[in-house]
Amino acid sequence: MKLSEVKYQETVIITKILGHGSFRRRISEMGFVRGKEVKVIKSAPFNGPIEFKILDYNVSLRKSEAERIEVVPVSEFDTSKNGSYEGVIDRKIQLINQSERTHTINIALVGNPNCGKTTLFNFISKSKEKVGNYSGVTINIKKARLKAKGYTFNFFDLPGTYSLTAYSNEEIFVREFIYNKTPDIVINVIDSTNIERNLFLTTQLIDMDLRIVCALNMYDDLERKKIQFNYHEISRLLGIPFVPTISSKGIGLDNLIDKVIEVFEGRDTITRHVHINYGKDLEESIRKIREKVKEEKLVTDKISSRFIALKLLEKDPHIQELLADYSNFTEIKKTTEREVKKIESLYNEQSETVITNSKYAFITGALKETFKNPLRKQRSNSEKIDDVLIHRIWGLPIFISILFVMFYATFNLGALPMEWIDLGVLALGNFISGILPVGMFKDLITDGIISGAGSVLVFLPNILILFFFISLLEESGYMARAAFIVDNIMHRFGLHGRSFIPLVMGFGCNVPAILATRSMRNRGDRLLTMLIVPFMSCSARLPVYILIISAFFIKYQALILIGIYMVGIAFAFLTAQILNKTVFKNKETPFVMELPSYRLPTLRNIIYHMWDKTRHYLKKIGTIILLGVIIIWALGYFPRQTNQAGQFEKQLNAIEANTDFTEIQKKELNANVLQVMETDRLVNSYLGKIGQGIEPVMRPLGFDWKMSIALVAGLPAKEIVVSTMGVLYQSSADESTINLQQKLQNEFHTTGKRKGEKVFTLPAALAFLVFILLYFPCVGVVATIKNEAGSWKWAAFVVVYTTALAWITAFLVFNVATLFL
């Protein structure tokens, strides 16, 4: 029978994987091989993916994918045909003391997603890399340097990967780094509670003939679950030292460094080079291919000939490309084709499946006497939590409720600290205004820098709260469940379930969200996700939303904010549907995603994550936003003289000369004239001229020239929209950002047919929010799309498409809302 036909909570054994290509390869590497037990846990809402338990971890597949896996009841499986354990082949190679050459140790951190690799990297290096409990967080190579115990350690945190095939960008990154950089030591980080699946990657590292130290991470979870693991015995078998660690608490990391030094200096008594024995037939094929490969020293100087032979047997296209220019490539290819044909006829399976099965047979044999999990048949705490959080009926309402709480808290909890910062900016402006002499420099500092940059800084608490919730979702493991819940909905729009994670990351910042698409296997899926990420409302847009919503939608703030985010999501899905049916027409790609165990987020990691984002935000205020503020202020400040300047001077002199007015009356009249004078100067400034030139295009949306200028200023970074409004609508720095909202409420059109009418009506405010949501993503996003897509074509498409869509949508919103509001 098929795996899709198995009832919930039933356990069966895999007999065969049907299908070809990427699905077969990926599913095998994840542990879906002949002889492995699989338990059906539950299905997602809306007849979505199904959750399975295999090798002590949970993974999701769509029903269509589960139909490609043949299974039988446990009682019917013939264990005599389940492969054999051949042990290892020892190699007599003397380990060199590398410390005689150098006191610098280059260390590559390699491991599966969710194994705690980046947490370990952060703790050792005191770095602040983002940590998340789902696949695809580390999407590039991160480097850190540490000096300790007489050595300089260069740590390289490589992308999380399940294997070293040329199937995904992560795997290619890891392989090419090892080829080209040849690290002195590889620290293979292993999740202690999921050893069987994690060791699959270890076997491939062994094939590469590397010096390896295994960090047996999250060892406290292993002990808490009463799992017995004789890591000393498996260390002896594999010739790799295993060191227990708890990276989130820094426990065992000092021992890990000591072990790295011992291996580097050739003093470790356990370390030795071994070959995994794949059995007589495979070993014979490997030997014949190696003989041909070793004729070319250029490639085998960097890459193990045994690893190359195995990858050729697996039909790895990347290795074939690597060897294509060598003089004997034709002979290598002929030998490989002959051996592949022989293996496939002997085993009646694809050659890559035979090797994967052999690896898992080796792992099973190695763990038979060293690994005991007495609670294996019991339901885990994560499965019990999933009964509620991803329930077929309640899963989606709970997910929506979590989003509501997140946005509601972003508004309401951030209100008080927002007022404190606002008062602080106001006090600073008053203080500086009191000590500086009247002149251009004072105006620049108070009305430009403090007023403009302060209007952005005031929203820092709201952004911190948003990142706090995103950190909780990422670290706890719920983010992967959210992808599981919405996969079927996304699939209907031509999106892959894995697209959900970059899209949610886009709520924080679109740039890392676009980079996170590297975890997706299919290029079409990657491009499609990349092109719709800009519709996710990043934190840079949040200050604009809060400013406008707080000023014009006081009663329904949280609902309006959620509505804006939902509109962005709706446009993302609509765009995906259009592009999927016209441009990409993607072939079906498998939804194979690990559902990691729930973990209690550590305060340390949450603070690291929040501070890292805060640091970037503050840096942005101090650089690009500050520069934008100064440019906007200068364009609005010059020229100082207008055609009506002389008339205003006469009015001021007349007020002063009139003896009928009291001093209080004179002060009020002077203030009114100065305000009109400042408005006239702004209208006739360079900024005003530019705005009035743009205004005819934006007038059908209900926007005046000031709103138009603010939108243009927001092209480098959306936060500049608020700071530009702070410069345009505030006449001096002694007014707070709260007063800026009042200024917007009382702003009137100064030109055109609507002269004298209010600018920010409810329809205009709604149209402005929609335009901010949809138009031109920031310059950083455009550049990232260009780099990731490999062409300016897609970056240009995003710019034109989003801006055109913003104008059309804002036009419709303004005109429809005008009829009803």
Side-chain angles (χ1 to χ4, degrees), residues 134 248 266 331 350 375 469 471 564 574 616 677 736 787:
Y134 62 89
S248 60
E331 294 178 49
Q350 295 287 324
L375 305 179
F469 277 99
S471 297
I564 288 294
L574 180 63
H616 284 297
M677 182 179 175
S736 68
N787 291 335

Side-chain angles (χ1 to χ4, degrees), residues 92-131:
K92 294 181 180 180
I93 294 180
Q94 185 178 0
L95 297 175
I96 302 168
N97 182 353
Q98 296 183 343
S99 64
E100 295 174 358
R101 301 188 289 109
T102 177
H103 280 271
T104 299
I105 307 178
N106 295 313
I107 301 170
L109 295 177
V110 180
N112 285 192
N114 309 310
C115 68
K117 177 174 53 63
T118 299
T119 306
L120 188 148
F121 175 81
N122 287 346
F123 215 107
I124 285 182
S125 63
K126 310 302 179 188
S127 180
K128 300 176 182 65
E129 290 305 328
K130 183 178 175 186
V131 177

Side-chain angles (χ1 to χ4, degrees), residues 285-417:
S285 294
I286 292 168
R287 183 188 62 78
K288 289 179 180 178
I289 298 172
R290 282 185 72 193
E291 286 176 356
K292 293 295 180 185
V293 170
K294 287 167 75 174
E295 291 177 8
E296 283 283 356
K297 292 294 184 185
L298 288 175
V299 66
T300 55
D301 284 346
K302 282 189 172 183
I303 312 171
S304 160
S305 59
R306 182 176 177 85
F307 180 76
I308 292 173
L310 281 162
K311 290 302 166 190
L312 287 170
L313 282 172
E314 291 177 350
K315 306 170 189 174
D316 188 302
H318 192 260
I319 288 291
Q320 291 177 7
E321 289 173 12
L322 199 66
L323 301 176
D325 294 333
Y326 287 93
S327 58
N328 66 336
F329 177 66
T330 305
E331 294 178 49
I332 293 173
K333 190 176 180 181
K334 286 180 180 178
T335 304
T336 300
E337 288 172 352
R338 185 172 62 249
E339 295 306 316
V340 165
K341 188 176 180 180
K342 183 189 80 175
I343 293 297
E344 290 182 345
S345 63
L346 282 171
Y347 291 88
N348 195 28
E349 284 278 15
Q350 295 287 324
S351 57
E352 60 264 39
T353 303
V354 175
I355 292 173
T356 302
N357 289 347
S358 298
K359 285 181 181 294
Y360 273 110
F362 168 78
I363 293 167
T364 302
L367 294 178
K368 193 171 185 179
E369 301 299 328
T370 58
F371 182 85
K372 305 290 181 185
N373 184 0
L375 305 179
R376 189 169 196 171
K377 299 296 182 181
Q378 295 184 13
R379 299 181 72 219
S380 66
N381 290 332
S382 290
E383 289 174 28
K384 294 173 184 176
I385 296 171
D386 278 345
D387 285 344
V388 178
L389 293 186
I390 58 175
H391 189 273
R392 295 185 69 179
I393 297 174
W394 302 114
L396 188 63
I398 289 172
F399 171 59
I400 293 172
S401 300
I402 289 171
L403 291 181
F404 178 82
V405 169
M406 181 170 75
F407 293 125
Y408 184 84
T410 298
F411 248 117
N412 291 273
L413 294 183
L416 190 59

